[in-house]
Amino acid sequence: MSNPMFRDTVPAPPEGRRKLSWYGPGLLWMLSAVGTGSILFTPRVASVYEYQLFWLLLLVVFFMWVMIREMARFSIVTGKTMLEGLYDLEGPRGWAVWLIFVPQLLAAAVGIAGLSAVVGSALQSFFPGNTAIYGIALVVLCTAFVASGQYMLIEKASRVMALLLMLSVLASAIVVGPSLPAMGSGMIPSWPDDPDLYIILPWVGTILAGSMGLVWFGYWTATRGFGGGLTSADRDEDEPDEAQREREQAQSESQARDDAVNRAQAWVRLMSGAATLGVVGGLVVITAFMVLGAELLAPEGVVPEGTDVAVDLARLFSDVWGEAGRYLLLIAIVIALGGSVLANQDGWGRSFADMTLILTSHRRYAADRGWALGALDWLKQRTGLPMLERRYIKRLYVLTITGVVPVAIILVFSDPVAVMSASGIIAALHTPFIALSALYVNRTRLPHALRPGLSITLCMTAAGLFYLGFAGVYLWDLVGG
């Protein structure tokens, strides 16, 4: 095994109130994570089982917290992305990255189309127009914003949207009035007598984040400058000025290894706080939608399908709080899914750009540059833009895979949500692979003082095995059904 990986210098972490300005990646991750699991599937599960599976929600949220921390740990300690760590796994060159890259292209396009279609359906039920027009408008608006390449603008927007989302869904849940004894009973593990896996499995697979959502938290903490950000020559150029100054100052001073390790440990603790904020905020939102499903849909015996979730919830909520209630719930749904589209486009764009640079690194200075670099060279000649830089590759993927292709899907398929099963299958297969591979990388390639401890290792292993079992059940049910 290679020698432990550790960046040369580590900037001093923020202290006191300055820490608060570094929690943005947690809120951005929360927005990316409260999409289909919150809006589409949680109300469905609650309409059938009410609060019986609340314990399962809490378990998955804990596993998610453990997993995203390990993705960001690697970037803080090494200055590289987790996908760079996976690239060096034993076997054919880059096999692990290829295994993730190709299926995720499909998952990204289908996922963005499905989320946008749900927003379109919600808006169409309130205003003139049709689902496709509203869905396409959302894709275009988010694509333009993300392609601007300004991370801090996206983070600031995520803060506002996250606050509005939590306030609106909390207000909705409080007005409806949750049954606290029933929620308390739901915290005790139990299983339905006649479980409908068609309802339960998609929900479990989309609670908080899919497989790539695990990786995105590490990108956003690195871009924000945690631990000094990325150290590669082609790191993100939308890194905040503050983070650049901190890194340059650290590079200009001599630094003992023990001091660097202590600083890295402090950055990991700060990152843990941001991760906690993200998962707790996501838990609040999902729990609120569980309350709405259990208190509004279950008594009526309504189990909505596809985009009807938003419409049915808004209709029943208006019976409780009048017309104002309908619009409050509409705001919550649009912010949740619109924010998820925004954050997912940014996350997938960064992931695809990173994987492209990783997989072509061995050809960058070779005589035979291959078809991928050749295509980027051609675009550079036609546009005059430095297409081999990370930020421009990211914009290319944002415009095409998460922009143009989702628009085409919305136009071709009458119900894009129906094709989101492809995204679910990919997430089911990738999540255990990414989680267990990341644990292996962190346990074998980081310095001993910065590796995950025994308790985190056991929890990460349990999370990987849980999702591995889930993937097996999910695929068995899919094939058998």
Side-chain angles (χ1 to χ4, degrees):
M1 182 54 60
S2 59
N3 294 326
M5 303 170 64
F6 191 35
R7 62 171 73 239
D8 295 331
T9 58
V10 182
E15 298 180 351
R17 293 184 178 179
R18 288 186 60 223
K19 292 182 179 180
L20 297 177
S21 65
W22 288 80
Y23 288 146
L27 293 175
L28 183 54
W29 183 85
M30 186 200 88
L31 279 180
S32 75
V34 294
T36 52
S38 299
I39 310 299
L40 293 182
F41 300 129
T42 300
R44 280 167 50 81
V45 167
S47 71
V48 177
Y49 304 109
E50 299 185 1
Y51 300 107
Q52 186 177 2
L53 297 177
F54 188 42
W55 65 272
L56 186 56
L57 169 62
L58 298 177
L59 178 65
V60 172
V61 166
F62 172 72
F63 282 156
M64 198 61 62
W65 177 78
V66 173
M67 290 188 292
I68 65 173
R69 284 179 72 257
E70 291 311 300
M71 303 300 156
R73 181 195 298 272
F74 184 82
S75 298
I76 289 173
V77 175
T78 67
K80 300 179 182 297
T81 67
M82 176 54 75
L83 290 173
E84 289 180 271
L86 296 180
Y87 179 75
D88 293 327
L89 289 176
E90 291 81 358
R93 181 167 50 197
W95 68 271
V97 179
W98 279 113
L99 185 64
I100 297 170
F101 184 32
V102 176
Q104 285 295 332
L105 292 171
L106 173 62
V110 170
I112 295 296
L115 288 171
S116 302
V118 177
V119 175
S121 174
L123 291 173
Q124 184 265 336
S125 67
F126 283 81
F127 307 108
N130 60 53
T131 298
I133 292 176
Y134 289 122
I136 291 173
L138 177 64
V139 173
V140 172
L141 181 64
C142 290
T143 299
F145 190 58
V146 174
S148 68
Q150 298 298 316
Y151 170 79
M152 288 307 294
L153 286 178
I154 297 174
E155 185 182 293
K156 289 177 181 177
S158 72
R159 292 177 186 176
V160 175
M161 296 176 77
L163 179 61
L164 291 175
L165 173 60
M166 284 190 285
L167 290 176
S168 58
V169 296
L170 275 176
S172 302
I174 291 172
V175 169
V176 169
S179 173
L180 297 181
M183 291 187 71
S185 298
M187 297 176 69
I188 301 173
S190 65
W191 194 248
D193 294 330
D194 186 22
D196 187 344
L197 297 182
Y198 176 77
I199 293 177
I200 297 174
L201 291 179
W203 175 62
V204 174
T206 55
I207 292 176
L208 283 185
S211 52
M212 288 309 294
L214 303 178
V215 180
W216 296 343
F217 182 68
Y219 281 115
W220 288 323
T221 52
T223 300
R224 182 62 181 87
F226 278 64
L230 299 181
T231 58
S232 57
D234 51 9
R235 60 176 171 265
D236 286 306
E237 304 225 354
D238 53 354
E239 184 181 54
D241 294 337
E242 178 187 13
Q244 294 180 25
R245 289 193 300 268
E246 295 284 353
R247 184 182 63 253
E248 291 168 359
Q249 180 179 346
Q251 292 172 344
S252 66
E253 60 187 25
S254 60
Q255 193 172 94
R257 181 177 176 84
D258 288 344
D259 291 338
V261 169
N262 290 335
R263 286 183 174 186
Q265 289 173 333
W267 279 110
V268 170
R269 289 192 295 271
L270 180 62
M271 173 272 293
S272 297
T276 301
L277 177 63
V279 297
V280 170
L283 175 61
V284 168
V285 173
I286 296 178
T287 301
F289 277 102
M290 176 172 279
V291 170
L292 295 175
E295 304 297 339
L296 295 180
L297 299 178
E300 299 289 331
V302 176
V303 184
E305 296 286 343
T307 58
D308 290 340
V309 171
V311 177
D312 288 337
L313 279 177
R315 175 178 56 81
L316 293 173
F317 194 63
S318 66
D319 296 338
V320 177
W321 211 14
E323 193 67 13
R326 292 182 69 236
Y327 284 98
L328 177 62
L329 197 60
L330 173 67
I331 291 171
I333 291 171
V334 170
I335 292 176
L337 294 183
S340 190
V341 170
L342 181 75
N344 285 0
Q345 284 186 317
D346 187 80
W348 262 310
R350 292 180 191 278
S351 302
F352 294 148
D354 189 32
M355 287 187 275
T356 299
L357 290 170
I358 291 170
L359 292 170
T360 59
S361 60
H362 66 288
R363 290 183 176 272
R364 204 168 301 178
Y365 304 104
D368 180 13
R369 291 167 61 83
W371 66 269
L373 288 177
L376 292 174
D377 283 333
W378 182 84
L379 284 174
K380 179 180 178 180
Q381 294 173 2
R382 295 295 184 274
T383 63
L385 298 174
M387 292 304 301
L388 296 180
E389 292 183 6
R390 183 186 298 267
R391 58 174 173 168
Y392 285 99
I393 299 176
K394 171 197 165 186
R395 291 174 184 176
L396 178 63
Y397 281 115
V398 169
L399 290 171
T400 55
I401 301 300
T402 70
V404 174
V405 178
V407 168
I409 292 174
I410 292 173
L411 290 173
V412 171
F413 293 93
S414 58
D415 183 11
V417 176
V419 299
M420 287 186 70
S421 59
S423 181
I425 294 170
I426 293 169
L429 294 172
H430 277 172
T431 298
F433 172 74
I434 292 175
L436 294 174
S437 298
L439 176 62
Y440 173 78
V441 169
N442 283 351
R443 288 287 300 176
T444 58
R445 304 198 175 182
L446 300 185
H448 282 280
L450 295 167
R451 292 176 182 175
L454 178 60
S455 60
I456 292 298
T457 298
L458 293 175
C459 291
M460 189 74 167
T461 302
L465 294 177
F466 171 84
Y467 277 97
L468 182 63
F470 162 77
V473 175
Y474 185 90
L475 294 177
W476 176 266
D477 182 68
L478 192 68
V479 173

